[in-house]
């Protein structure tokens, strides 16, 4: 039996991804990457203030796919 721990999904059985919205006019999706330890965090950066809001830690390619599907994102910039 597989346990799924992602937000918006059932614990057992079929996955259900919740669709979430973000302000596309003021926020842009960014993947912050550490050059020291390789840690990656997905979130949104305010284009006016430059403030980054962390949403989730990315541990695998699947985590990134779930994040992008949840917010309807096609591509993301990497920032170091």
């Amino acid at each position: 039996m597989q346990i799924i721990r992602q937000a918006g999904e059932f614990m057992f059985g079929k996955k259900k991804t919740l669709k979430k919205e973000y302000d596309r006019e003021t926020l842009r999706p960014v993947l912050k990457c550490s050059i020291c330890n390789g840690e990656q965090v997905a979130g949104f950066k305010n284009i006016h203030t430059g403030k980054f809001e962390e949403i989730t830690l990315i541990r695998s390619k699947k985590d990134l796919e779930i994040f992008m599907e949840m917010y309807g994102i096609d591509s993301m910039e990497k920032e170091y």
Side-chain angles (χ1 to χ4, degrees):
M1 201 178 316
Q2 182 181 9
I3 298 175
I4 301 170
R5 291 180 278 151
Q6 290 293 328
E9 297 181 355
F10 292 112
M11 287 193 62
F12 301 100
K14 269 184 145 178
K15 293 192 296 185
K16 179 182 176 186
T17 304
L18 296 177
K19 298 290 182 184
K20 296 185 178 182
E21 295 292 321
Y22 67 97
D23 186 2
R24 295 175 187 267
E25 292 181 15
T26 59
L27 301 174
R28 67 182 170 104
V30 173
L31 186 62
K32 276 198 112 144
C33 306
S34 170
I35 58 173
C36 298
N37 58 14
E39 182 180 86
Q40 296 182 340
V41 177
F44 297 100
K45 187 172 188 176
N46 187 311
I47 59 174
H48 301 295
T49 64
K51 183 178 176 183
F52 180 75
E53 179 185 351
E54 295 180 0
I55 302 296
T56 188
L57 177 65
I58 303 297
R59 294 184 183 147
S60 67
K61 187 176 179 181
K62 183 69 176 171
D63 289 342
L64 182 59
E65 290 171 1
I66 290 170
F67 175 79
M68 292 177 74
E69 182 182 336
M70 188 182 304
Y71 286 96
I73 300 168
D74 296 327
S75 64
M76 291 179 67
E77 291 183 27
K78 282 189 176 181
E79 208 173 80
Y80 297 94

